[in-house]
Amino acid sequence: MAWWQRCARTRRHRGGPARSRRPGRVCGRAREGRSARWQERFLDGLEEWCEACEREAHHRINGYIPSTADYLPLRKSTGAFYSMIAGLEVYQDRELPSMLRNHPVLRRLEELLFKVTFAENDLVSLDRDEADHVPYNLVRAIRHETGCTRREAVEQVQRQLAEHRTQLDAVTRYLPALFRVLPGLSGRWKEYASIYGDLTTVLLRTHQLDRYTQTSTSAAPDLERLRREIYYPATEPAPTGP
């Protein structure tokens, strides 16, 4: 049974997210030695990602394309953005203090990283996303909302990308000075800054991955398989006839 299907069944049986079962069951090694605050934030992020991927599967089945306003939060949730930050904290064996996670400049950095990364990914994977009916592509969302041509939508995304990339570069150049003057870091500002440095490097390279650059391997998406896996539990045979 797929992981997102297990999540869906758990919610149906319990009437909501399975919070009481999460501690000690999810990514135990990642949680070792972490504060309760970090563990709760980490598990919340995984739960949000699980729910978001199930939601995207339903949208693919139903042919739904979100508005541009809805695209941003939907794309961010399926991208596991905050779980990626948690993964870097584990990799570097550090924990970002709340004052950094909540700082307006760093929040702006995260927002710009998200917009730049996923705009680049959507442009690179546009042909494949159109062939596979992937709903969360900004070009597709703009075309669906405005009725413009494909070329016009691509150019709009390219303009937004260039603007956000310029803003991101400016914020990134400012970060070392910000970390040096922030109080309460106990001389560890370089260690914390390296997490955001690695995050920036990783995200800005994702559009080069095969996941985004390879072409679709089928003439049409296998939505029938997706329907079976989403709507019918693995222990129940899916209907084979009308």
Side-chain angles (χ1 to χ4, degrees):
M1 185 188 302
W3 58 266
W4 40 258
Q5 187 176 3
R6 289 196 298 270
C7 292
R9 293 190 68 189
T10 300
R11 285 197 297 277
R12 286 196 295 267
H13 293 165
R14 296 175 59 85
R19 290 184 177 273
S20 63
R21 294 187 179 184
R22 294 186 309 169
R25 296 284 299 274
V26 181
C27 297
R29 289 184 61 186
R31 295 167 54 237
E32 290 178 2
R34 304 291 163 182
S35 68
R37 175 189 60 82
W38 187 95
Q39 293 186 48
E40 185 67 18
R41 186 175 65 215
F42 173 64
L43 294 170
D44 283 343
L46 287 181
E47 185 175 298
E48 178 188 10
W49 182 47
C50 178
E51 293 172 349
C53 290
E54 182 190 4
R55 182 172 59 244
E56 180 181 5
H58 286 293
H59 287 167
R60 290 187 68 175
I61 289 170
N62 298 325
Y64 170 80
I65 298 178
S67 67
T68 53
D70 291 337
Y71 160 87
L72 292 175
L74 289 172
R75 190 72 165 84
K76 196 170 188 176
S77 59
T78 57
F81 187 82
Y82 293 116
S83 295
M84 187 178 300
I85 296 177
L88 287 172
E89 290 178 289
V90 172
Y91 177 74
Q92 296 196 16
D93 195 22
R94 301 184 180 103
E95 185 173 331
L96 290 168
S98 297
M99 64 169 292
L100 291 181
R101 294 302 305 274
N102 298 325
H103 194 282
V105 174
L106 295 175
R107 297 292 289 182
R108 178 59 174 164
L109 171 69
E110 294 174 6
E111 179 185 6
L112 288 169
L113 274 174
F114 158 70
K115 290 181 177 180
V116 168
T117 298
F118 290 113
E120 288 181 336
N121 293 349
D122 287 355
L123 288 171
V124 170
S125 63
L126 178 58
D127 291 342
R128 179 183 178 184
D129 289 351
E130 289 176 330
D132 291 344
H133 298 187
V134 174
Y136 303 159
N137 184 295
L138 185 55
V139 176
R140 298 194 72 207
I142 291 174
R143 290 195 67 190
H144 183 75
E145 186 173 89
T146 67
C148 67
T149 65
R150 186 183 194 266
R151 180 176 179 178
E152 290 171 337
V154 168
E155 290 175 348
Q156 181 174 334
V157 173
Q158 289 173 335
R159 288 193 299 271
Q160 293 177 4
L161 174 58
E163 178 183 348
H164 292 146
R165 190 64 186 257
T166 299
Q167 296 174 8
L168 176 61
D169 290 343
V171 173
T172 301
R173 287 194 300 269
Y174 173 67
L175 283 185
L178 173 65
F179 276 102
R180 281 195 297 267
V181 301
L182 283 176
L185 297 184
S186 302
R188 301 182 62 189
W189 69 269
K190 290 184 179 180
E191 298 177 5
Y192 295 131
S194 68
I195 294 178
Y196 285 97
D198 286 352
L199 178 67
T200 302
T201 300
V202 169
L203 287 176
L204 294 184
R205 291 178 179 175
T206 57
H207 68 280
Q208 302 172 3
L209 299 175
D210 290 345
R211 173 183 176 185
Y212 298 104
T213 59
Q214 66 185 8
T215 58
S216 178
T217 57
S218 60
D222 189 1
L223 295 182
E224 288 304 320
R225 178 187 59 79
L226 198 57
R227 289 188 182 94
R228 290 195 301 269
E229 294 179 348
I230 283 285
Y231 293 129
Y232 302 103
T235 55
E236 301 174 10
T240 57

